Amino acid sequence: MNRRKTAIFKAGLDTLYYTGAHRALAPLTCGAGIIFTLHNVVPGAPPAFAPNRILTITPEFLKAVVVRIRAAGLDLVSLDEAHARLQGEGSDRRFACLTFDDGYRDNLEHAYPVLKRHDVPMAIYVATCMPDGTAEMWWLALEFAIAAAGSIEVPTAEGSETFSCETLEQKYDTYETVYWRLRAMDEEGKRATVRNIAARAGIDMAAAVRDLSMTWEEIAWLAGDPLVTIGAHTVTHSALAKLSDAQVEYEMAESRRLIGEHTGVRPCHFAYPYGDAGSAGPREFALADRLGFATAVTTRPGVLYPEHGHHLTALPRVSLNGDYQSLRYLDLFLTGAPFALFNRFRKVDAA
Ligand SMILES: [Zn+2]
């Protein structure tokens, strides 16, 4: 979501909050549970140019979230427990899951200690290219290149186009334009383009990836804690909808196999990279089911209703991101009201 859309969405959330409409809607919209999507947990304020700051919250906010969720009467549970409850087994109390995508080292350094102290289960969906050191974190490579350079050159069919990155405003504009241009490209084209941009800006992405990712040893250590679930998140972190049937099956099955081999625990939960409707759809949902994953999560926004017990590989999530580090937004999200309005009160979106 770009900065303008975020501002509009926040204004809508504020209206909902200050009119109290969310409280009136809550009995209809709060559902059975909620799965939160998180990425990075890092202390301190982000630098001025941080277009990926939406992916980061602070450990202090994470702790406040845990306390607030419990105060609201929800149980913080593992994905296995969420799966059981969606199938009508066990408690019918409302629940929340905290899930972290990709496999960042800050999850171990800054999220795990907070959650461990409060006895909160966590799930980390690992893209195996992260611990393997082969991840192409193109969204970060683009950020680093724009942060470092006064301009960047983006290859085009006709040659190349130059974007200014002198001022902070220009850096944000350039990021926004190039990011969405890349999102529209196929995986290979996108990666080749960013490799080119990063190389020209002198960015060593291989070193950055080693720095940002957990190692296999760290992941295996975490997997040994019963509070931690390691889920699969593909091998190459690709938008699956853009790949062939065989490639999609490989991404799902091989990431599960590799994680099982390195940690001794074969994952039974999966997250689709990016997770929006353009990156994962009915073909992916059916395949995750056929391959035997107990649950698979998207980033389509929404809370969980009992109906999701019949769509366990197309579960919605709610992003707990850096743009919404206020308990006011958390309170709203827990009512389910913003997503019910956004989804026009359709409970399941698995198409
Ligand atoms: Zn991811």
Side-chain angles (χ1 to χ4, degrees):
M1 195 178 286
N2 68 32
R3 287 188 297 162
R4 194 170 50 82
K5 280 191 194 151
T6 300
I8 293 170
F9 190 62
K10 276 185 172 174
L13 289 176
D14 287 340
T15 305
L16 197 57
Y17 187 82
Y18 290 113
T19 58
H22 62 298
R23 257 173 269 133
L25 286 168
L28 295 172
T29 56
C30 73
I34 185 166
I35 304 176
F36 287 105
T37 311
L38 299 92
H39 286 85
N40 302 103
V41 177
V42 179
F49 177 64
N52 289 297
R53 79 173 79 199
I54 61 159
L55 300 177
T56 302
I57 65 166
T58 64
E60 294 75 25
F61 185 64
L62 180 63
K63 181 186 160 196
V65 163
V66 162
V67 171
R68 190 70 148 230
I69 288 174
R70 284 188 169 149
L74 284 82
D75 295 338
L76 280 156
V77 304
S78 67
L79 286 173
D80 283 342
E81 175 65 16
H83 176 245
R85 292 193 190 188
L86 282 173
Q87 294 194 306
E89 295 158 13
S91 169
D92 56 7
R93 278 167 56 86
R94 283 179 69 217
F95 60 88
C97 299
L98 301 181
T99 66
F100 297 76
D101 286 11
D102 301 340
Y104 296 102
R105 175 167 290 135
D106 60 60
N107 295 178
L108 170 66
E109 290 176 343
H110 301 297
Y112 175 72
V114 170
L115 300 178
K116 180 79 179 166
R117 212 173 304 127
H118 292 265
D119 198 30
V120 176
M122 73 188 295
I124 303 175
Y125 295 111
V126 173
T128 58
C129 55
M130 297 275 288
D132 276 343
T134 56
E136 295 204 75
M137 300 158 100
W138 61 268
W139 57 97
L140 286 179
L142 181 63
E143 172 181 332
F144 296 164
I146 292 173
S151 69
I152 59 164
E153 266 185 69
V154 178
T156 62
E158 294 80 39
S160 72
E161 190 177 344
T162 304
F163 290 87
S164 290
C165 316
E166 296 285 350
T167 67
L168 189 59
E169 197 58 27
Q170 286 173 341
K171 285 183 194 291
Y172 271 108
D173 286 347
T174 296
Y175 188 86
E176 188 74 21
T177 306
V178 178
Y179 176 89
W180 287 107
R181 201 181 281 189
L182 291 163
R183 280 293 296 268
M185 295 171 77
D186 63 41
E187 271 312 318
E188 224 4 85
K190 176 169 68 193
R191 287 164 191 238
T193 303
V194 177
R195 249 177 258 140
N196 187 304
I197 294 171
R200 287 184 200 211
I203 304 297
D204 182 354
M205 272 316 284
V209 167
R210 280 194 301 277
D211 234 36
L212 291 164
S213 307
M214 279 191 283
T215 63
W216 278 118
E217 290 70 31
E218 289 166 333
I219 294 167
W221 183 82
L222 272 180
D225 187 328
L227 275 181
V228 180
T229 300
I230 303 295
H233 192 43
T234 75
V235 175
T236 65
H237 202 279
S238 298
L240 296 179
K242 296 187 172 136
L243 304 183
S244 71
D245 292 356
Q247 284 174 312
V248 177
E249 180 156 351
Y250 170 81
E251 292 279 351
M252 288 186 184
E254 180 67 1
S255 57
R256 178 171 60 184
R257 189 190 70 76
L258 283 168
I259 293 169
E261 191 178 283
H262 284 281
T263 67
V265 188
R266 191 167 174 263
C268 43
H269 303 278
F270 182 83
Y272 307 99
Y274 311 105
D276 60 307
S279 305
R283 176 185 67 163
E284 287 71 34
F285 303 156
L287 186 60
D289 185 47
R290 182 163 72 70
L291 291 177
F293 285 104
T295 71
V297 294
T298 67
T299 55
R300 298 183 189 205
V303 301
L304 302 170
Y305 294 101
E307 288 83 345
H308 284 108
H310 302 289
H311 301 276
L312 289 165
T313 55
L315 299 179
R317 286 191 290 175
V318 170
S319 177
L320 200 62
N321 73 44
D323 272 340
Y324 298 94
Q325 291 189 74
S326 152
L327 293 176
R328 185 169 87 235
Y329 295 126
L330 176 68
D331 291 346
L332 269 175
F333 295 163
L334 291 175
T335 67
F339 317 109
L341 293 168
F342 180 82
N343 293 321
R344 299 193 178 88
F345 293 92
R346 181 182 50 176
K347 288 184 170 170
V348 173
D349 175 13

